[in-house]
Amino acid sequence: LVGKGFNPTVQIFDNKCSAAFKRFLKQKQINLHLGPPYDHRTNPAEKAIDTFKSHFLAGLSSLPPTFPLHLWDRLIEHAVLTLNLLRPSHLHPHLSAYAHMHGAFDYNRTPLAPPGCRVVIHESPERRATWDLKGLDGWYVGPALDHYRCHRIYVPSTCSERIARRVDFFPHN
């Protein structure tokens, strides 16, 4: 937060906190508020966790039936990004949480697709032999944020992720 220009003044915890963290907060001049035991409604972090869980489970429930479930953890980054694009900032409600922290999201630079969508990656002639197939099956696991108009694709034949630009999407519905 400090790196983005925000100076937190209050930290809210459930009902306990380590002595080392209390010293750290005191050194940084941040007030500590402990909530009552067994009352999670007073802690905004608990509500944020519940919101994320609901958003992530909704994304998992929209996966194609053939999506390999051992890849669910690769969808977390996509879920965090889309959730922060959807929810408003607490300080500036007219901005998304993402826009408040990172600036406007450029959908042209970073296109988004449904999580877990089946895809075919187009193999360029430089990367394939003459009689090889021109496409490679895979699963969309998220945008490649550091690459222009690219996607992160899990390729089952190589058991690895790959950054791809030319992709055809095949939603299951």
Side-chain angles (χ1 to χ4, degrees):
L1 288 173
V2 172
K4 294 287 184 179
F6 300 100
N7 293 317
T9 57
V10 176
Q11 180 69 48
I12 301 173
F13 269 53
D14 281 342
N15 65 344
K16 49 187 157 179
C17 178
S18 71
F21 195 66
K22 285 181 182 179
R23 283 192 304 274
F24 172 77
L25 292 175
K26 190 172 186 174
Q27 174 190 357
K28 297 291 182 182
Q29 298 175 346
I30 299 174
N31 293 324
L32 173 65
H33 294 266
L34 296 178
Y38 310 110
D39 186 3
H40 297 294
R41 292 173 294 173
T42 59
N43 188 347
E46 292 294 334
K47 180 60 181 162
I49 290 168
D50 185 51
T51 302
F52 174 78
K53 282 170 51 178
S54 297
H55 180 71
F56 189 64
L57 288 174
L60 289 180
S61 67
S62 70
L63 292 174
T66 54
F67 182 79
L69 285 182
H70 70 276
L71 300 177
W72 70 267
D73 60 322
R74 296 174 190 250
L75 302 175
I76 292 174
E77 184 181 346
H78 186 272
V80 170
L81 173 66
T82 55
L83 181 61
N84 285 327
L85 286 170
L86 290 170
R87 68 185 186 98
S89 165
H90 287 293
L91 297 176
H92 298 288
H94 62 283
L95 292 175
S96 71
Y98 181 92
H100 190 193
M101 291 294 292
H102 306 287
F105 186 80
D106 187 353
Y107 290 93
N108 287 323
R109 183 186 189 291
T110 311
L112 297 175
C117 188
R118 191 175 74 80
V119 299
V120 173
I121 302 171
H122 180 271
E123 288 281 70
S124 63
E126 298 84 30
R127 290 196 53 136
R128 62 179 157 82
T130 305
W131 291 99
D132 279 351
L133 295 174
K134 295 180 182 180
L136 192 59
D137 289 330
W139 299 99
Y140 175 83
V141 293
L145 296 173
D146 295 333
H147 296 81
Y148 184 74
R149 299 193 59 75
C150 291
H151 310 278
R152 287 181 21 246
I153 307 297
Y154 178 82
V155 181
S157 62
T158 61
C159 294
S160 63
E161 266 188 38
R162 189 165 167 185
I163 306 296
R165 179 178 172 134
R166 298 177 71 189
V167 175
D168 286 326
F169 292 93
F170 297 94
H172 75 285
N173 285 338

